[in-house]
Amino acid sequence: MAAPRNVLRDEESAAAALLNNSSKEDDDSPTGKRLKSERFPVSRWELAAFFGVFLIFSTGLFCIYLTMPATEYGKLKIPRSISDLRLLKDNIATYASDYPTQFILGYCSTYIFMQTFMIPGTIFMSLLAGALFGVKGVFLVVFNATAGACSCFFLSKLIGRPLVSWLWPDKLRFFQAEIAKRRDKLLNYMLFLRITPTLPNLFINLASPIVDIPFHVFFLATFVGLIPASYITVKAGLALGDLRSVKDLYDFKTLSVLFLIGLVSMFPTLLKKKKIYE
C-alpha cells in the first residue's frame, strides 16, 4: 500500500510545482508587471506627511478668510471657464476696490495654495489679476506663481520622488539626462524651460528636486522665466470681454515670441558649445 501513497504524494508535489511556476510566469509577464507597476507608490508615512502639510496650509488659509470683511461668499468660487471668470470679476470688483489690502492677502493665499497642491485653475487667477489690477497684476502673478512653485518644490522633495517616478517614468528619465548634460549652464536651461511650454510647469515643479536642481537655480529661473507668460496672461485679462477661451492665449504668434525669448536665454550655452567645437 506504500507505493500508491508515494505516487499520490509525487503527483501532489508536481502539481504544486506547476502552480508555482505558472504564478512566476504570470508575475514576469507584461500583464503581471503592469499590475505591479499600477500599485500606488506612496507609503502611509508619506501620505500622512502630505495630509499634514495640507492641513497646515488649509488652516492658515481658513484663518486668513476669517479676518476678511464679510461678503456674499455664495458668489465667490474658483472659476473653471472664461464665463465663470467674467461673473466672478463682476461680483468681486467692488469688494477689491473697497478692501484692497484684505483682498490681495486673500487672493495671494488662494493662488499659492492652489499652486502648492497642484489644484487646476491658476490660469484664471492670473487673468483675474489683469482684469482687476491691470498691468500691475504682473507683479502679483509672478510673486504668487514663484511662491507656489517653491512650496511645491519642497513638498515634492519631501514625498514626491515615488509619485513622480510612477506617473512620468519616461519623462523623468529624459529630464534627468538633459539636466546632467547642462550642469555647467543649468540656469540658462531652466530659464528656457520656464519661458517656453516645452515641459509643463507642474512637472518642472515636482521633478526639479528629484533630479537635484539646486533651489537657488530653481527660484531664479522661476521668478525670471515666468515674467513673459505672466505678462501675456495679465494683458489678456485686461480685455477679458474679448477672450473666448484659454486656448486663445497661446496662439502661433505668442508661442513664437516665447520660444524666441527662450532661445535668447540659451544663447550663452550655445556660444560655449561653438567655442568647444572650434
Side-chain angles (χ1 to χ4, degrees):
M1 296 297 292
R5 290 180 182 176
N6 289 336
V7 170
L8 287 173
R9 287 175 183 172
D10 291 342
E11 289 177 353
E12 289 174 357
S13 300
L18 184 61
L19 287 173
N20 288 334
N21 289 334
S22 63
S23 64
K24 287 181 181 178
E25 289 176 0
D26 290 340
D27 288 342
D28 293 335
S29 67
T31 305
K33 288 179 180 178
R34 188 177 70 249
L35 290 173
K36 283 185 176 182
S37 64
E38 287 175 356
R39 294 173 185 169
F40 195 62
V42 180
S43 67
R44 294 178 183 176
W45 294 110
E46 289 168 332
L47 278 176
F50 173 82
F51 283 114
V53 174
F54 184 83
L55 181 62
I56 292 171
F57 272 73
S58 300
T59 304
L61 187 62
F62 180 70
C63 291
I64 289 172
Y65 284 165
L66 288 178
T67 63
M68 298 179 68
T71 185
E72 296 182 37
Y73 290 106
K75 295 181 178 180
L76 302 182
K77 66 174 184 176
I78 297 174
R80 298 300 181 191
S81 65
I82 297 298
S83 58
D84 288 346
L85 183 61
R86 292 194 188 103
L87 184 62
L88 178 62
K89 187 252 181 182
D90 294 337
N91 291 331
I92 211 171
T94 304
Y95 185 90
S97 60
D98 291 342
Y99 309 102
T101 304
Q102 292 93 331
F103 174 79
I104 289 175
L105 180 62
Y107 172 88
C108 293
S109 303
T110 305
Y111 197 118
I112 294 171
F113 181 86
M114 293 173 65
Q115 189 87 341
T116 300
F117 296 102
M118 300 150 282
I119 300 172
T122 53
I123 184 69
F124 296 110
M125 298 292 285
S126 300
L127 287 168
L128 182 62
L132 294 175
F133 303 108
V135 180
K136 293 183 292 185
V138 173
F139 301 101
L140 202 60
V141 171
V142 171
F143 168 78
N144 290 322
T146 303
C150 292
S151 298
C152 189
F153 176 96
F154 287 114
L155 184 63
S156 179
K157 194 169 187 176
L158 179 65
I159 62 167
R161 182 178 295 273
L163 188 61
V164 176
S165 302
W166 182 62
L167 289 173
W168 304 292
D170 297 332
K171 191 178 291 186
L172 182 62
R173 282 192 292 269
F174 168 78
F175 189 42
Q176 196 162 21
E178 292 298 311
I179 293 297
K181 289 190 295 185
R182 295 173 170 84
R183 282 287 173 188
D184 53 340
K185 292 291 183 182
L186 191 55
L187 179 59
N188 298 95
Y189 180 62
M190 288 298 294
L191 276 172
F192 174 80
L193 292 181
R194 282 302 196 188
I195 294 170
T196 64
T198 307
L199 286 175
N201 279 324
L202 172 62
F203 175 78
I204 296 172
N205 295 342
L206 291 172
S208 292
I210 298 172
V211 298
D212 297 324
I213 294 175
F215 175 69
H216 69 278
V217 173
F218 176 86
F219 173 80
L220 285 173
T222 302
F223 183 78
V224 177
L226 291 180
I227 292 175
S230 299
Y231 175 77
I232 291 169
T233 308
V234 168
K235 189 177 178 182
L238 285 168
L240 194 59
D242 300 331
L243 195 64
R244 292 172 297 175
S245 170
V246 175
K247 295 179 181 179
D248 296 339
L249 288 173
Y250 297 102
D251 55 10
F252 179 76
K253 181 181 178 181
T254 302
L255 290 175
S256 300
V257 171
L258 289 177
F259 271 100
L260 181 61
I261 298 172
L263 288 174
V264 171
S265 70
M266 288 287 289
F267 184 74
T269 304
L270 299 174
L271 188 63
K272 184 177 179 180
K273 284 185 176 180
K274 182 180 179 182
K275 289 182 179 178
I276 292 173
Y277 289 140
E278 289 178 351

